[in-house]
Amino acid sequence: MKKTANIVKYLLLLAVSIFLMAYALRSINFAAVKTELSQANFFWIGVTLLLSVAGYVSRAIRWRMQYTPVGYQPSFWQVYHAQMVGYLANIVLPRAGEVIRCTILRRTASVPVNVSLGTVITERILDLVILVSCIGATFLLEFDRLNEFFLQIFSDKYQGLQQNLETLYLLIGVVLLGTFFVVWYIYKNISRLQHNRHFQKVSQFVKGLWQGIFSIRKMDQKGQFLLHTAFVWLSYFLTSYLAFFVLPGTSHLSWQAGMTIFVMGGIGMSAPVQGGIGVYHILVRTALLLYAVPLDKGMAYALIVHATGAILVVVLGVISLVASLGAKKKEAVLVSQPA
């Protein structure tokens, strides 16, 4: 039953991706897109791919740093391969890669899945904060252009939300009431539950998850962690900006335009569809219109940046998958936890 549900979920998300991609390609002059792509500068494609690889390496180093405070020390390659397999899985089934990379690391380095999930949650929260900060900074830099853009995107949704406020309040109330009931039940029956085998398993899982989430608090190398975080996001920005020089239709754009496309692309890639397909293309091509880039040339940019990035993830992900499956399972290397 669970397998059938996963297949249905995958097919539905795939259908959404296909629909969005078809929508993105409507009214596109394919001959013009082909002409633009035929003039691509492969030197700059190579530069953006190298930057992407550097970002993946830095992100793997950053993720590995989160394990020492919780008593584990997987090798760089174990962490890197798990990460890239997770990215590969996200192309097939959005967000499944977060769990799969934790499972891979358990197999290759014997790190508990709940601890790894905790570190991933912390990583994602940090990334979300940075993305929101970048959106805010970009909005300030390009207020005149982006003000109208965001209003057009969210005005209809805001009006729809106003019309359904009662339903929203009811849903929030039900969630809060349910949470209160669960907490109250556990508090009243804690002595009996502590002897329950299933409750003990859940408690251990939550404890490991909590350790992973707060791993940064006990980290000795917080400065290096922040430097890697800054480099990862700098590599994302530079990949978007330097990709302008790949095509003649975008080679004249400024770094401010690069910030706009960087955040729009980030929002698109965060969408719960396979690899951001369709959503990324719609947001990027529309944002480029703000800088007087014709729709066809904007679509050419979105296609080449998204396609090269996806191909890179597939190649590196497959290599990491083969390496992970071929690796012998190792016992976890435990280190003393900081006080």
Side-chain angles (χ1 to χ4, degrees), residues 126-142 146 150 229-230 233-234 236-237 256 258-260 262-264 266-267:
L126 179 60
D127 287 341
L128 178 61
V129 170
I130 295 174
L131 177 59
V132 171
S133 300
C134 289
I135 292 172
T138 304
F139 192 80
L140 291 175
L141 284 169
E142 298 287 80
L146 295 180
F150 277 110
T229 299
W233 282 88
L234 178 63
Y236 291 164
F237 162 69
Q256 291 93 334
M259 280 293 294
T260 299
F262 157 61
V263 297
M264 290 301 171
I267 295 171

